Amino acid sequence: MDGACLSAEGRRIVGPISLSLTRGRVYGLIGHNGSGKSSLMRMLARQAEPDEGAISFDGQPLVALGGRAFARKVAYLPQILSTGAGLTVRELAGFGRYPWHGPLGRPSATDAALVDEAVALTGLGAHADRPADSLSGGERQRAWLAMLLAQRAEFMLLDEPTAALDVAQQIDILGLIRGLSRIRACGVLIIIHDINMAARFADEIIALRGGRVAAAGPPEAIMTEATLEAIYGVPMHVLRHPGAGWPVGLPH
């Protein structure tokens, strides 16, 4: 991403932003409400076209990729999802194979094997034939992640996948995402509202403020009192978790 900007109703809401993301790493995207997190992610997911600047994948402009070619490289999970009504977990995960066989192609034995693998990796093997809308919130998020895994993309974009989950489910899902990134050597950009969850599970944190990058780097570099105050606009304390040692930010 090189100098990308996005405007709405004549007002710039994001940019200019220049970023380079690497496969195999988890990036936590943080910032106050209205800082441009979802807008940035929509540009990366080709849901919104930048007004200025350029976005590329492996040196190839995103605009030059066809829809299916793009989906073979980048998987996007928006914040608002359906319940998956009328679909089993396996059927929902099977939609991840669409970029590979198209609307008229018949799923192959390879497709079926990859779907089963994705369901197993997300811990839903025992629920593969259950209706997706009968699952708990955390299990349903795992089912959507199974769909993205079946897609076999090289990068996943996740817009607040833990927003409606309790703390235990948030830890479970974020730990799963981090583990899947390692298993598949897949890059992940995930919007996280909780800075402490970002510091715990992300390899790097990207902080937005006013539509621009306010700070970017490993958690240890971001989790300082001065940096957090610059990001959120309120004084912050930074402590060490008494058991694990990772940094924890608390408002004054």
Side-chain angles (χ1 to χ4, degrees):
M1 173 176 279
D2 184 13
C5 301
L6 182 67
S7 301
E9 298 179 353
R11 180 178 66 88
R12 179 169 291 179
I13 56 176
V14 174
I17 289 180
S18 296
L19 288 173
S20 180
L21 307 178
T22 304
R23 286 191 284 274
R25 297 183 68 75
V26 177
Y27 297 86
L29 185 57
I30 67 167
H32 57 82
N33 289 340
S35 61
K37 300 184 297 297
S38 290
S39 296
L40 171 59
M41 185 163 284
R42 288 176 59 241
M43 282 197 293
L44 292 171
R46 290 208 328 188
Q47 303 294 304
E49 187 173 347
D51 308 303
E52 301 175 27
I55 305 175
S56 60
F57 192 101
D58 282 342
Q60 187 173 11
L62 291 191
V63 294
L65 293 170
R68 285 174 59 190
F70 175 74
R72 292 180 180 183
K73 294 181 177 295
V74 179
Y76 172 51
L77 193 66
Q79 182 179 356
I80 300 174
L81 300 167
S82 75
T83 62
L87 298 172
T88 66
V89 169
R90 182 182 283 109
E91 289 168 340
L92 178 59
F95 279 103
R97 298 305 300 159
Y98 173 85
W100 299 92
H101 59 66
L104 301 179
R106 297 184 62 182
S108 65
T110 298
D111 291 318
L114 291 173
V115 168
D116 286 343
E117 178 189 50
V119 171
L121 283 173
T122 52
L124 292 176
H127 304 301
D129 296 314
R130 279 185 59 185
D133 59 355
S134 72
L135 302 176
S136 69
E139 289 171 336
R140 195 174 304 133
Q141 285 299 91
R142 284 174 172 263
W144 285 106
L145 288 173
M147 184 187 75
L148 267 58
L149 285 179
Q151 194 170 329
R152 301 290 289 191
E154 300 171 42
F155 230 97
M156 294 194 295
L157 305 174
L158 311 176
D159 191 347
E160 296 190 52
T162 59
L165 305 180
D166 62 35
V167 172
Q169 290 175 330
Q170 290 178 40
I171 293 171
D172 178 60
I173 292 297
L174 291 173
L176 173 64
I177 290 168
R178 183 179 174 90
L180 294 173
S181 172
R182 300 296 190 265
I183 291 170
R184 287 286 181 83
C186 176
V188 180
L189 179 67
I190 176 172
I191 294 179
I192 307 176
H193 270 293
D194 189 327
I195 181 59
N196 296 315
M197 290 290 188
R200 178 173 175 177
F201 291 103
D203 298 303
E204 297 187 40
I205 294 174
I206 301 167
L208 299 188
R209 183 173 176 84
R212 305 188 71 170
V213 176
E220 290 289 343
I222 302 300
M223 296 294 287
T224 69
E225 294 180 356
T227 301
L228 292 181
E229 182 171 358
I231 294 168
Y232 292 108
V234 295
M236 300 282 284
H237 284 303
V238 176
L239 310 173
R240 290 284 171 180
H241 187 283
W246 56 66
V248 177
L250 299 171
H252 277 206

